[in-house]
Amino acid sequence: MTKNSQIASMILGEVASSGVARGPALVCACAEHATGPRRVVSETEAQKEMEKLDAAISEVEMELLDLQKKVQQRVGKEEAAIFEAQILLLHDPSLREEISTRCLIGKINIETAVDEAIEKMASLFIQIEDRYFRERAADVRDVGKRLLDNLTKSQSPGIPTLSGGSVIVTSELLPSVTAQLDSQKIRGLVVEKGGQTAHATILARALGIPLLIHVSDATKLIRTGDRLIIDGLAGRVFINPTSAILREYDQLEADLQAHKTDLQGLIKLPTVTRDGVAIKLCANIGKSADAAAAATLNADGIGLYRTEFAFFVQDHLPSEEEQYEIYRSTADRLKPREVVIRVLDIGSDKLLQYFPLPLEANPSLGCRGIRLLLAYPEILRTQLRAIFRLSATHPVSILFPMVGGMEELLAVKAAIESVKASLAVEHQPFNPRVSIGAMIETPSAAILILRLAQEVDFLSIGTNDLVQYLLTADRTSSEVASYYEPLHPAVLQVLASLATAAKAKCKSISVCGEMAGNPAYTKLLLGLGFRSLSVSPSEILEIKNTIRSTHLQQAEDFVRRILQLDTIQEIKQYLRDEKDPMY
């Protein structure tokens, strides 16, 4: 096909690493692996097959250690830790058990056993509701690909030979492939699968490579050699763009460079509205790398430290000492700023291989969060002891997830008093006045807000769960995605009532869900009465920019009018009429 006969078109995706890029497409199957034919083996052969597996595991571990070293030198220590997690997966006891059962008992060749076991483990991760854990399926497949490539002695597709300035188009991007990309040769990435917290995405952001994920049928609609523009702001891929579109993006790239320079200039400026009202802007983190980024961007503190990562990277329930060291390392990054530590929030939908839980038909409505911790009090007690020990030297607060009512809150407060008493008997130093908070994520907690506020020092709204529970719309389901709408009048009315109740009880209240990190909702949240937001480190500067561009009195007038509207359509139309660029 000649350039003149190439048809201009556009497809949509989700922005995972922002920016604008252009270049010739290189379509590749970066995640494919070789398996070979399925074979039946004898008992003697099965033993030899397992020996082959052990040899392959040793070689793959060496490969991962080498890759970790290279990533640490090129990108950073925290990004390199991704491959520590992959090494743990490589030695995961449950994975080995699945493989050995298929090979030794099922009498099948080791390549097929590994392939089937990897697919089973990956499918378990995919079923997990929590996005972070669900996106670890790519790491499982990445480890599986390396094992199978080693066992089959094949070179399955990975990193293609690149010409300068290419845009890679693939079905799935694996962390080990991303880690080896040369940002001088790769302008951008277009991926059919992927996730916002996937390790491949984290690496792409660290390398500064624009990335779009969930681009349906990209490998079918784009051919190698097609000229592409990736709009990593609006989530668009232009295929063989017209000269008019090219001119538009010439201007956009110039504007983006100027905007990026402006945002960097905000780092040392205070987070205040145009009329001088201070807003607390904190970071949501899951690991030490996030804390380092938050400190670099001058966040006011950590508004939500998700501690699940500390459990996920272990092959056992972390001890009190292990947790203390992990939390201390993270808090050191922000000292003397406060770190709000959310205790473990898992359920049967959040997989910890060493802590199997009974499967539930509807994990979102099952034993998770605070309910699960009360069912396993030793896990809660160990974590609380680690946090209180940290409080002796660092300003920390404790946040309880998925609070449903007073009974649960009073039970965890009793656990806190027990821990404080035991530490005092042991002469362990701690701060007896550590602030205690409750997450408002359930309708029952929203209804009981005035009562709950009397028992805690602060409140934090998890909008992701609160919206889905209020609207009975699973945010992970494509079938009901259109019903998950943060601008629903019911959601806005509830948020307004929560801000009012917290003010009446003189308790601080923060918004830490996805609404807080979306600049489209910043003016709305400020107008509703919230003066504290907690967002991903990558969102801090954009949200600060929006706050500093907002006049609080105007935002409050804006919200008063919105709260009088009855439908989502009316609210969105009002926003468009107000010429809000986000709508």
Side-chain angles (χ1 to χ4, degrees):
M1 180 178 285
T2 66
K3 283 187 178 180
N4 290 336
S5 62
Q6 289 176 326
I7 300 173
S9 58
M10 182 190 77
I11 52 179
L12 301 177
E14 180 182 329
V15 177
S17 178
S18 62
V20 174
R22 64 177 83 190
L26 184 57
V27 182
C28 64
C30 299
E32 286 188 4
H33 60 263
T35 56
R38 181 188 182 95
R39 294 184 292 109
V40 176
V41 298
S42 68
E43 186 172 343
T44 302
E45 288 175 316
Q47 292 292 342
K48 291 182 178 178
E49 292 288 283
M50 290 301 295
E51 291 174 8
K52 283 171 58 179
L53 174 67
D54 290 334
I57 287 173
S58 295
E59 290 184 28
V60 169
E61 181 173 6
M62 293 301 293
E63 292 172 6
L64 290 172
L65 286 169
D66 182 58
L67 185 56
Q68 180 186 0
K69 181 179 178 181
K70 289 177 179 177
V71 171
Q72 182 168 334
Q73 292 171 344
R74 182 181 169 206
V75 185
K77 182 178 179 181
E78 303 299 340
E79 287 77 13
I82 288 169
F83 299 100
E84 287 182 24
Q86 288 203 356
I87 291 171
L88 286 172
L89 278 173
L90 185 65
H91 293 287
D92 186 276
S94 62
L95 177 60
R96 185 179 183 83
E97 183 179 349
E98 287 288 345
I99 295 171
S100 61
T101 298
R102 285 168 168 75
C103 184
L104 297 176
I105 299 175
K107 301 294 189 295
I108 61 173
N109 61 305
I110 196 65
E111 295 84 2
T112 301
V114 168
D115 189 36
E116 291 181 359
I118 287 292
E119 283 307 308
K120 180 178 179 181
M121 179 177 274
S123 68
L124 289 173
F125 276 93
I126 290 170
Q127 293 169 28
I128 298 173
E129 180 187 351
D130 183 271
R131 184 174 70 180
Y132 179 84
F133 287 92
R134 188 169 64 246
E135 292 172 0
R136 297 291 75 76
D139 290 279
V140 175
R141 285 192 286 267
D142 201 359
V143 169
K145 172 177 161 55
R146 283 186 172 273
L147 272 177
L148 288 165
D149 285 351
N150 184 284
L151 288 165
T152 58
K153 306 301 180 186
S154 68
Q155 292 296 321
S156 58
I159 303 173
T161 302
L162 301 168
S163 58
S166 298
V167 173
I168 287 183
V169 181
T170 186
S171 62
E172 183 174 20
L173 193 63
L174 299 178
S176 62
V177 173
T178 313
Q180 298 175 75
L181 294 177
D182 185 342
S183 57
Q184 299 302 313
K185 292 183 177 180
I186 295 297
R187 295 281 178 83
L189 299 160
V190 177
V191 185
E192 291 176 334
K193 299 178 183 177
Q196 293 291 347
T197 62
H199 283 152
T201 298
I202 292 168
L203 287 166
R205 288 181 189 138
L207 292 167
I209 302 174
L211 164 64
L212 293 190
I213 58 176
H214 301 156
V215 186
S216 299
D217 296 324
T219 57
K220 296 177 183 177
L221 298 171
I222 299 172
R223 287 177 287 188
T224 294
D226 281 343
R227 293 172 298 125
L228 302 182
I229 292 179
I230 298 179
D231 184 339
L233 301 174
R236 299 169 181 159
V237 180
F238 291 92
I239 307 169
N240 301 314
T242 63
S243 57
I245 291 175
L246 287 170
R247 286 194 298 272
E248 286 289 331
Y249 277 87
D250 286 339
Q251 182 60 53
L252 177 59
E253 287 185 88
D255 292 344
L256 280 175
Q257 186 56 48
H259 180 63
K260 185 177 180 180
T261 301
D262 290 343
L263 286 181
Q264 290 298 313
L266 293 176
I267 291 177
K268 294 184 178 180
L269 295 179
T271 307
V272 295
T273 61
R274 288 181 63 187
D275 41 349
V277 178
I279 305 297
K280 188 174 184 181
L281 183 57
C282 294
N284 297 335
I285 66 168
K287 52 190 182 300
S288 185
D290 302 332
T296 300
L297 295 167
N298 199 28
D300 291 326
I302 300 304
L304 176 65
Y305 178 7
R306 302 181 180 95
T307 56
E308 292 77 38
F309 186 78
F311 287 74
F312 175 75
V313 298
Q314 304 282 349
D315 59 3
H316 60 278
L317 283 169
S319 67
E320 176 185 327
E321 192 61 33
E322 287 173 322
Q323 291 188 60
Y324 170 78
E325 290 297 332
I326 291 170
Y327 304 153
R328 184 183 61 78
S329 174
T330 301
D332 279 346
R333 305 272 190 173
L334 274 297
K335 195 175 180 180
R337 285 164 282 186
E338 182 186 38
V339 176
V340 176
I341 302 177
R342 186 182 72 183
V343 295
L344 183 65
D345 183 14
I346 64 169
S348 66
D349 63 326
K350 295 182 181 180
L351 189 66
L352 291 177
Q353 293 290 336
Y354 54 83
F355 183 49
L357 295 168
L359 291 177
E360 297 173 300
N362 191 341
S364 295
L365 301 179
C367 190
R368 58 172 293 199
I370 196 171
R371 294 176 181 174
L372 185 125
L373 291 175
L374 290 172
Y376 296 88
E378 279 309 307
I379 296 177
L380 174 61
R381 185 177 181 83
T382 300
Q383 188 169 29
L384 288 176
R385 282 180 59 90
I387 297 170
F388 268 100
R389 283 176 55 197
L390 180 63
S391 74
T393 55
H394 295 72
V396 297
S397 298
I398 300 174
L399 182 61
F400 289 100
M402 296 301 296
V403 174
M406 290 292 290
E407 293 86 356
E408 295 164 346
L409 191 54
L410 293 174
V412 293
K413 288 186 69 176
I416 286 173
E417 293 305 315
S418 174
V419 163
K420 289 161 67 173
S422 67
L423 290 172
V425 168
E426 298 166 16
H427 304 290
Q428 284 271 19
F430 67 93
N431 176 9
R433 292 180 293 279
V434 169
S435 294
I436 307 301
M439 289 203 74
I440 307 301
E441 304 170 273
T442 64
S444 59
I447 292 168
L448 293 173
I449 183 69
L450 290 171
R451 300 283 185 88
L452 296 174
Q454 293 174 176
E455 297 294 332
V456 296
D457 302 299
F458 66 97
L459 301 156
S460 183
I461 302 175
T463 56
N464 301 357
D465 277 322
L466 183 60
V467 172
Q468 77 167 350
Y469 289 140
L470 283 173
L471 303 181
T472 59
D474 182 355
R475 57 194 172 93
T476 67
S477 170
S478 57
E479 287 80 7
V480 294
S482 61
Y483 292 95
Y484 182 86
E485 178 53 77
L487 291 175
H488 192 291
V491 173
L492 301 185
Q493 294 287 349
V494 168
L495 290 176
S497 69
L498 294 176
T500 301
K503 185 176 181 180
K505 292 295 182 179
C506 299
K507 297 295 171 70
S508 63
I509 186 167
S510 178
V511 182
C512 66
E514 290 179 3
M515 282 186 76
N518 188 336
Y521 302 127
T522 303
K523 180 178 178 180
L524 187 64
L525 292 173
L526 296 180
L528 285 167
F530 296 103
R531 301 293 179 264
S532 177
L533 306 176
S534 191
V535 305
S536 166
S538 64
E539 297 162 340
I540 285 175
L541 293 183
E542 282 289 359
I543 298 302
K544 179 182 277 192
N545 185 54
T546 306
I547 290 170
R548 289 179 60 86
S549 303
T550 300
H551 192 287
L552 191 57
Q553 185 60 56
Q554 291 177 358
E556 291 172 345
D557 293 340
F558 168 80
V559 164
R560 273 193 288 271
R561 292 191 290 271
I562 285 177
L563 292 176
Q564 295 172 6
L565 303 177
D566 296 322
T567 69
I568 299 168
Q569 290 72 23
E570 288 176 334
I571 292 170
K572 289 187 174 181
Q573 185 59 54
Y574 177 75
L575 292 169
R576 284 191 289 269
D577 291 343
E578 288 290 301
K579 294 183 173 56
D580 190 318
M582 299 295 180
Y583 297 93

